[in-house]
Amino acid sequence: MDRLQAMAIFLAVVEEGGFASAARKLELSAPMATRAVSELENAMGVRLLTRTTRVVRVTETGARYANDCRRILADVAESEEAAAGSHGEVRGRLVVTASSVFGPMRVTPIVTEYLRRYPEAEVECRFVDRVVNMIDEGVDVAVRIGPLQDSAYQARCVGRVRRVVCASPCYVARHGAPSSPADLVDHTVVMANGITPSVDWRFVVGDQATVVRVRPRMTVSSNEAAIGAALAGFGLTRVVSYMVDDHLASGRLVEVLRDHESVPLPVHVLHHEGRHAARKVRAFVDLASQSLRDDRLLHWQADARMAHGD
């Protein structure tokens, strides 16, 4: 079997989690898919997959080889497009991820504009409150808020946001506003379980960082629910600034402890293909980067020192 075809079949088995599903995706027979992977393993003398009667798992060597296959096949496809004179066209399926709040609010408009510009493109949006493994889950582009944990990705910093403690005016009128982070122990707190839920809230008092362990009376599964409880006057909550900008501007919520907030959180657009990125990825990253850099809600006290590195 052609080596590139075998690589494509192996990659499909890894991404689909099994031979049968990979065969259906590629419109092949399951025995052909099995034979292709066996030929690769025999040619290289290594085990790429661990097979049992119930599950197929990729080995450590297989995972590295899958990454290489993904890059090689993308390079071949791009070379063929260039030779055919279609190098400048944006087409194909793109998978984009962001958080469950930021995605619908800020990424969806970018996706629809991308699709309007490029009629041959398709986009799958995965808006979830967890850190997605982009390579393992087949994600092309991610928009993430907060410090980056993995330096292997290509990242563009497009802005920054901050954490906001807020409440309704009626709550503040009844209970007063905390004047320092330590006063939170005397207030009703609503907390959302996000990507990294924690009862430790970080602040700055004077020039020193401090941690306050809050005791939430109400814990909810989404930021929207926490904001809703705050709007209803139940208590204080802490969310990211872009989530409540409209409520703060209208006066439905008021901010407290602003002078004690910790450092802003960076916003990045990530992809993992480097200079080998397909045209569809480069086009989306360029559009998303420009759109988010133009978004005033992502530039809290932005200044000339802020880096916009690629």
Side-chain angles (χ1 to χ4, degrees):
M1 180 178 292
D2 176 80
R3 178 60 64 90
L4 289 177
Q5 183 184 11
M7 292 168 66
I9 293 173
F10 166 68
L11 189 59
V13 172
V14 172
E15 293 178 344
E16 296 297 315
F19 288 95
S21 54
R24 286 193 297 271
K25 177 182 178 180
L26 299 176
E27 298 182 349
L28 303 172
S29 67
M32 181 178 293
T34 302
R35 185 168 66 252
V37 175
S38 295
E39 289 178 1
L40 284 175
E41 292 178 323
N42 292 335
M44 293 185 290
V46 297
R47 178 70 66 185
L48 299 174
L49 300 172
T50 299
R51 308 159 176 83
T52 69
T53 57
R54 299 181 61 184
V55 69
V56 174
R57 290 192 175 91
V58 65
T59 64
E60 183 178 348
T61 300
R64 291 196 300 267
Y65 185 63
N67 292 337
D68 291 338
C69 289
R70 191 177 287 109
R71 174 180 53 79
I72 291 168
L73 293 171
D75 286 348
V76 170
E78 187 169 359
S79 298
E80 290 178 346
E81 288 180 355
S86 60
H87 182 71
E89 297 180 11
V90 173
R91 62 177 61 185
R93 182 172 175 269
L94 192 76
V95 180
V96 177
T97 188
S99 71
S100 63
V101 178
F102 191 85
M105 290 180 66
R106 291 293 181 268
V107 179
T108 293
I110 298 170
V111 170
T112 55
E113 175 60 24
Y114 175 83
L115 294 174
R116 276 193 290 265
R117 292 187 185 186
Y118 307 111
E120 298 296 317
E122 302 174 2
V123 177
E124 176 188 343
C125 297
R126 301 179 185 173
F127 298 148
V128 293
D129 285 332
R130 62 182 177 86
V131 178
V132 172
N133 187 312
M134 296 174 64
I135 294 176
D136 289 350
E137 300 184 45
V139 173
D140 298 294
V141 182
V143 181
R144 289 186 179 163
I145 297 174
L148 298 180
Q149 303 299 318
D150 192 335
S151 60
Y153 296 126
Q154 300 293 312
R156 297 187 185 184
C157 185
V158 295
R160 56 179 181 171
V161 293
R162 60 193 180 91
R163 296 180 180 90
V164 172
V165 180
C166 55
S168 70
C170 65
Y171 175 87
V172 173
R174 289 197 309 268
H175 303 283
S179 59
S180 72
D183 294 340
L184 289 171
V185 297
D186 299 321
H187 285 269
T188 300
V189 172
V190 181
M191 189 178 73
N193 281 327
I195 295 177
T196 55
S198 174
V199 294
D200 292 337
W201 288 3
R202 299 183 182 277
F203 295 93
V204 174
V205 177
D207 295 328
Q208 300 295 319
T210 187
V211 176
V212 174
R213 175 152 294 190
V214 298
R215 297 182 60 185
R217 286 199 61 206
M218 181 178 182
T219 302
V220 294
S221 60
S222 70
N223 288 296
E224 296 96 329
I227 294 168
L231 287 167
F234 180 72
L236 298 163
T237 194
R238 193 185 204 193
V239 292
V240 183
S241 53
Y242 73 86
M243 299 177 183
V244 291
D245 182 78
D246 290 342
H247 297 312
L248 294 172
S250 68
R252 293 189 296 271
L253 291 176
V254 294
E255 185 176 355
V256 300
L257 298 177
R258 178 163 186 168
D259 292 339
H260 299 289
E261 282 299 341
S262 55
V263 296
L265 303 170
V267 182
H268 289 94
V269 178
L270 289 78
H271 66 98
H272 53 80
E273 295 183 347
R275 64 183 182 87
H276 299 287
R279 173 66 176 163
K280 64 182 181 180
V281 174
R282 295 198 302 269
F284 187 86
V285 169
D286 288 344
L287 176 61
S289 298
Q290 187 60 56
S291 298
L292 294 173
R293 284 171 178 166
D294 290 342
D295 190 332
R296 65 176 181 83
L297 298 186
L298 303 185
H299 295 279
W300 174 68
Q301 295 182 357
D303 56 44
R305 294 172 297 173
M306 179 175 172
H308 293 298
D310 291 350

